[in-house]
Amino acid sequence: MRLVIKYGGTSISTAKDIHLISKHLNILSKKHRIVVVCSATSETTDDLLGISESIKKENKSAAELLASKIINRHKQLAKQTVKKIDVRKKLLVKLDKDFAELLALIDGMVLLGEVTPRTMDYLISFGERLSISLVSSAINDLGVKSIPLTGKDVGIVTDSNFGESKPLMDTTRLRVSKTVDALFLKKTIPVVGGFAGADQHGHVTTFGRGGSDYSSTIVGSCIKADEIWLMSDVNGLMTADPKIVKNAKLLKEVSYVEAIEMALFGAKQIHPRTFEPLVAKKIPIKIRSSFEVKNEGTLVTASTSSSVKNTVKCVSNVRNNGLIDIRGGSMIGTPGTAAKIFATLAKAGINVMMISQNPSESSITIVVKNTDLDKAVSVLELELLGKIIKKLEVTIDVAIIALIGSGMRGTVGVASKVFRAIEKNKINISMITQGSSELNLAFIVKNSDTNSAVRALHRAFALDKIN
Ligand code: ASP
Ligand code: MG
């Protein structure tokens, strides 16, 4: 099989864990052709973002302090991970080169006193540049051939939309397949840096936070992989948060669309565009743990087999949100009201998580994160109160409870089952949404009612017996 195996930061952040994965890769490489994709080690991308923040604040010493934190972390890991003296020496020389480039970049940015999207991408791509050298050397240490390649090296070409770039798939496909096939012929395992590529001018670009998942499916699609494995510290997708529901089950199989919905809410965050490159080729993904390799994890496919088409697959929850009820007589029958409200929020950079409007059009209710609430209310007051809005009513500390499963589509009685279960537990619902795709039914309760709502629904739909 042709396999792309992607590791999240938590799987490669101690010498012990890097040993574990390189041994696993060694065994797999005897049977399969593997491309490895790596995230940055834990905290590294955050530290790089911290460096850019410090530069913006003209705090050079804070930026340098963070850089030395990153440098020490990787030096330490290199020394602890690689045993063979020659392999270790080569790794340290390579890392030193990257460290020097990082420090020079920081100096340059400090001198200019500005952080452009382009320099920012160049800066934050360093996390993966460092992690791939570590992982690749750990594989070499076992006597297996491997080389580290950045997204740019392997041939991922993107547009120039820094911070949120998209791959130019035709060019990328040609380049990536050529690079990888040549390495396969030489029995060398490529360890590719996730998160980044380069535009047509060779400037480094990134895909946005969590973008290594996306890198792995881009590469997978280019090399016509048979499977893509996303390895992290979770065993797969679950029917509910196991901290809330004791008998929550690992889901054996879900579809791409269900996985996207679940990833937005669940413990395993997946980059939202991850499945895009796969839709045409229908390559299956497995979400697995790098610590429990015997566990098969969750299989994500273009469409799930009929045996696992349960109506509802999981109950997710997101706490700590705020609800804003926007009212105003002049909203009724006035085209453009919603557009004005959402444009105002968008301009302020506020992400709206849920929306509902009643048919009388006298109110629109939205849900945002608690942390965005103040800003949302103040921009709406400032720009629209007294004009199209008469009154804003705010509720803090609410939770979104969402039922996910494509089997809900066209199934009669799901909603009544949901609300009966909730009613029995004397929980009040303050907002409900269901998209017409019927993939997701979500409603709002008080934070403090989250656990009982999730448990009630898990029970009502017998999700402990799902597989
Ligand atoms: N290192 C990047 C981030 O932390 C990309 C990734 O982890 O997938 O967002
Ligand atoms: Mg990550």
Side-chain angles (χ1 to χ4, degrees), residues 4-6 37 156 194-195 211-221 225 228-230 274 278 285:
V4 175
I5 307 182
K6 179 254 168 180
V37 175
I156 297 177
F195 188 40
S212 302
D213 295 329
Y214 193 28
S215 305
S216 69
T217 55
I218 294 168
V219 171
S221 145
I228 297 166
W229 297 357
L230 302 182
T274 301
L278 305 183
I285 291 190

Side-chain angles (χ1 to χ4, degrees), residues 278-293:
L278 305 183
V279 176
K281 300 215 169 63
K282 302 190 167 50
I283 302 170
I285 291 190
K286 280 183 179 161
I287 298 175
R288 308 182 56 175
S289 162
S290 65
F291 304 107
E292 289 181 35
V293 291

